[in-house]
Amino acid sequence: FCGVVDLLTMQVLRFEGKHGESVVSTPLVDAAPGLRGMAPAGLPQDVVEAAMECRESMLEGLADADDMLAEAFMEAEDGSSPDAAGLTPADVRAAVRRITLSQPALEAPSGDGAADRSPTVAVLCGSAYKNVGVQPL
């Protein structure tokens, strides 16, 4: 584990140095339209494709939980990718914040058969042991 892909900014974050103290950020792909393009040197194409699929899934899930983000999707052309909606990292961060603040506190399932809404949880990746991935937090 030497790095992560930031799905908000589509940057590859690599942690170098003895204790991961140096963060090197490179674009996941070139500036081609729709974020499609060439992967940075040394990064397998399947990692790029997996990151693109994960980003699309993340944006669709967030749009299901946030009306403002859903509106941005509706304004984009039909059948286009979520990235065609022109969402900035700030837009996505704001949506994650709105969703997080609007959720009730996590509680144990009621067991009465009522449909319990699944919470939306922001997931971050890192290793305190190697000091990798904690810097962006």
Side-chain angles (χ1 to χ4, degrees):
F1 173 46
C2 65
V4 296
V5 175
D6 181 335
L7 296 179
L8 294 180
T9 63
M10 294 307 277
Q11 295 283 316
V12 176
L13 303 176
R14 295 179 194 224
F15 305 94
E16 299 175 351
K18 184 177 180 182
H19 300 288
E21 65 276 3
S22 177
V23 180
V24 178
S25 177
T26 56
L28 180 66
V29 293
D30 64 16
L35 297 178
R36 303 286 179 203
M38 300 299 296
L43 193 64
Q45 187 63 33
D46 61 332
V47 171
V48 174
E49 291 169 7
M52 301 295 283
E53 290 172 13
C54 289
R55 177 181 168 83
E56 189 166 326
S57 177
M58 174 192 70
L59 292 175
E60 288 172 355
L62 290 171
D64 287 344
D66 183 71
D67 292 337
M68 290 178 73
L69 205 61
E71 285 179 26
F73 280 101
M74 305 265 288
E75 291 174 4
E77 293 181 31
D78 290 335
S80 60
S81 73
D83 284 311
L87 298 171
T88 67
D91 295 333
V92 179
R93 281 189 190 98
V96 170
R97 179 172 171 71
R98 285 190 300 271
I99 294 165
T100 301
L101 293 175
S102 70
Q103 294 184 113
L106 293 177
E107 299 175 6
S110 60
D112 62 3
D116 294 313
R117 186 180 138 201
S118 297
T120 301
V121 179
V123 177
L124 307 168
C125 182
S127 169
Y129 175 70
K130 296 267 187 173
N131 199 32
V132 174
V134 296
Q135 295 86 342
L137 303 178

